[in-house]
Amino acid sequence: MGPQLLRTESPDQTAPKGRILLVGIGPGSVDHMTHRARAAIAEADVVVGYVTYIKLVADLLEGKEVVRKGMTEELDRAVSALAAARQGKTVALISSGDAGVYGMAGPTYEVLFEAGWTPDDAVQVEIIPGASALNACAALVGAPLTHDFCAISLSDLLTPWPVIARRLNAAAAADFVVALYNPKSGRRTRQIVEAQRLFLAHRRADTPVAIVKSAYRRRQNIDFRTLETLCEADIGMLSTVLIGNSNTVLRHGLMVTPRGYANKYDLQDGGGARAGEKAGRSLSTGLDGWLAGVLADHASGVSAADLAQRHRLPLDYILATLAEPSAPDAEEVTQDTE
Ligand code: SAH
């Protein structure tokens, strides 16, 4: 649609109605780009992105203005996208993976807010989601993210190291599976060593680790290591490091984090529920069962401080749960359909 057509629909009759499309193109192969991502690029008058990503959509670029940019010009890119959109153009900003995961979506909104933009503005913004590196890398190595996980970027270009180190420490202590983005570059080589040091304080040295380089690209490489040997791997700007939790296993060349079914079901003998467990209900050690246990322990003389230590939870939290003992009747709660 051209700006003329759009102008009649605009609440502000005078402003040309441009658009900024933040397009996540997935890990880097055409097959893993969404239909909407390709369509959005086809709709654009101007396409902005790194050379590598622009090459992937070369077939869609005929007749378009193409701006090939380098690495450190994100704010410039957002500013020029806004300028072009203000003239009524549709601008596609291409990010690898998902534009909202360590991508252009954040800086673009920051620039827009700074310029006084609001969602009612004539310039409209659409974010087109794509498979992020963690999705792509996980798919290649097995099923490492099937339980709670988080992403941490080791880049200290815009984030102070103590912030990064605290997050690494907290994630390691809380037993999250972790995807490390931007793990290492030519100049940033020590960050990954520090990350390993923080993790080793909380996790076994033989915790499975996968280093995936250039997922779904020509130079794709997968290296399985342990936490102890992680730093011997060839790690670079195009690598993502996946660190398993305390239950993650490496079997037949596959990194798998159990979902938790073995806590509830007998995986060998026909898959029936274990004694004391019920399909569709919280575990016996789920919230209600746990509360009942904490109350019973407290009634039999275990102090709140001991309970806090036993369950590795804040004392305030234990005190609050003890002060509010009535658990909902489990039988009345509708069955979960997880
Ligand atoms: N927006 C992107 C992330 C950009 S940050 C996304 O959602 O995936 C750049 C980091 O992403 C790299 O340092 C690397 O850690 C990771 N990355 C991006 N593409 C990758 C790929 N194809 N294979 C492995 N890691 C990748």
Side-chain angles (χ1 to χ4, degrees), residues 24-29 50 53 71 74 95-104 130-137 140 152-155 179-184 188 211-217 220-221 235-241:
I25 59 162
S29 75
Y50 300 139
Y53 310 147
M71 288 298 258
E74 291 199 329
S95 274
S96 74
D98 185 282
V101 179
Y102 307 116
M104 279 297 295
S132 188
L134 64 79
N135 303 111
C137 296
L140 288 171
I152 299 178
S153 167
L154 294 192
S155 171
L180 298 178
Y181 281 72
N182 302 300
K184 194 174 175 181
R188 290 186 304 102
I211 297 102
V212 185
K213 194 172 206 170
S214 296
Y216 298 100
R217 298 185 192 182
Q220 173 178 305
N221 185 56
I235 304 176
M237 289 274 281
L238 275 169
S239 310
T240 297
V241 176

Side-chain angles (χ1 to χ4, degrees), residues 86-131:
R86 287 241 182 272
Q87 294 164 15
K89 289 185 176 161
T90 293
V91 185
L93 294 175
I94 301 187
S95 274
S96 74
D98 185 282
V101 179
Y102 307 116
M104 279 297 295
T108 300
Y109 274 125
E110 287 181 58
V111 164
L112 288 172
F113 290 159
E114 208 51 39
W117 176 94
T118 65
D120 303 328
D121 197 284
V123 170
Q124 290 297 290
V125 177
E126 180 184 342
I127 302 182
I128 292 107

Side-chain angles (χ1 to χ4, degrees), residues 20-36:
I20 298 177
L21 308 175
L22 290 148
V23 188
I25 59 162
S29 75
V30 179
D31 285 350
H32 293 90
M33 205 179 297
T34 66
H35 185 75
R36 178 69 195 125

Side-chain angles (χ1 to χ4, degrees), residues 45-67:
D45 303 304
V46 186
V47 179
V48 187
Y50 300 139
V51 182
T52 342
Y53 310 147
I54 298 261
K55 276 191 201 150
L56 286 171
V57 292
D59 61 315
L60 302 174
L61 299 179
E62 211 185 303
K64 298 185 194 302
E65 185 185 334
V66 178
V67 186

